Amino acid sequence: MLGDVLLATSLVYLTGGPESPFTFAFLVAILAGSILLYQRGALLTAVASTSAFVALVALSQWGVLRTPLGTSILPPNRLVFVLVSNLLAQFLIAVLAGYLSRQLRAAGGRLSAKESDFRQLARFHQQILASMPSGLVTCDAEGRVTFLNRAAETILGID
C-alpha cells in the first residue's frame, strides 16, 4: 500500500503537483488498501495519501520542490480548494470502499455457509435415492438417463 501511495505521489509530482490531473491515483491506492485490509486498510491508505499530498503541495508552495512542468505557486483560495477537495475525496472514498469491502466479506461468508448447506443436502439426497429399495431412473427433457439408483441397476442388469 505504501508503494501505491509513493507511486501516486510520484505521478502527481511529475504531472504538475497540486494542479495535476492524476490526483485520482491516490484514490486507486485507497481502493487497493480496502481490498487488502478492508476498512482499516482503506483508512490507513487514506491517511498516507493525504499526508503525501499535503507534503507535496507544501513543498511545492514553499519552493522546495519544483515540478518538472514548472507549475506556479497557487493563490491561497485555490490552494485551500485543491487541498480540501482532494482530502475530502480521499477520506470519502476510504469510508465508502471500507464499507463495500466489509459488505463483500460478509456476503462471501454467507455464500460459503449456503454452499456448505447445499453440499450437505445434496449428499443427503444422494443417500436417500441410493438406499431406496425400488428402482429409480431419472431422465432429462431429451430422454437421456441422468440417474440410476442401485436397485434400478440391479433390475435392469447394468452397471
Side-chain angles (χ1 to χ4, degrees):
M1 292 182 317
L2 184 59
D4 289 344
V5 172
L6 291 175
L7 185 65
T9 305
S10 300
L11 180 64
V12 169
Y13 167 71
L14 292 172
T15 58
E19 295 283 2
S20 171
F22 293 102
T23 56
F24 70 87
F26 289 114
L27 304 179
V28 175
I30 292 167
L31 290 173
S34 76
I35 291 169
L36 294 174
L37 296 174
Y38 307 108
Q39 182 110 25
R40 185 177 8 179
L43 291 174
L44 287 173
T45 309
V47 168
S49 294
T50 298
S51 301
F53 185 71
V54 168
L56 179 65
V57 170
L59 292 174
S60 65
Q61 285 295 108
W62 293 332
V64 175
L65 282 179
R66 288 191 161 200
T67 61
L69 297 179
T71 55
S72 61
I73 294 176
L74 297 175
N77 59 348
R78 178 73 180 149
L79 178 65
V80 169
F81 174 76
V82 167
L83 285 173
V84 169
S85 63
N86 278 284
L87 304 182
L88 187 61
Q90 289 176 15
F91 279 102
L92 288 176
I93 290 293
V95 169
L96 179 61
Y99 172 77
L100 291 175
S101 65
R102 191 172 58 245
Q103 293 299 316
L104 183 62
R105 181 174 41 175
R110 289 190 305 270
L111 180 61
S112 294
K114 296 293 181 190
E115 285 176 345
S116 176
D117 291 346
F118 179 73
R119 279 194 292 283
Q120 275 184 319
L121 185 60
R123 279 193 303 273
F124 183 60
H125 178 262
Q126 201 67 17
Q127 289 171 347
I128 290 172
L129 294 178
S131 64
M132 284 178 53
S134 303
L136 177 66
V137 178
T138 61
C139 300
D140 62 11
E142 282 96 37
R144 290 181 295 222
V145 174
T146 58
F147 177 78
L148 287 163
N149 69 352
R150 283 189 210 127
E153 289 175 353
T154 304
I155 292 168
L156 296 173
I158 58 174
D159 268 341

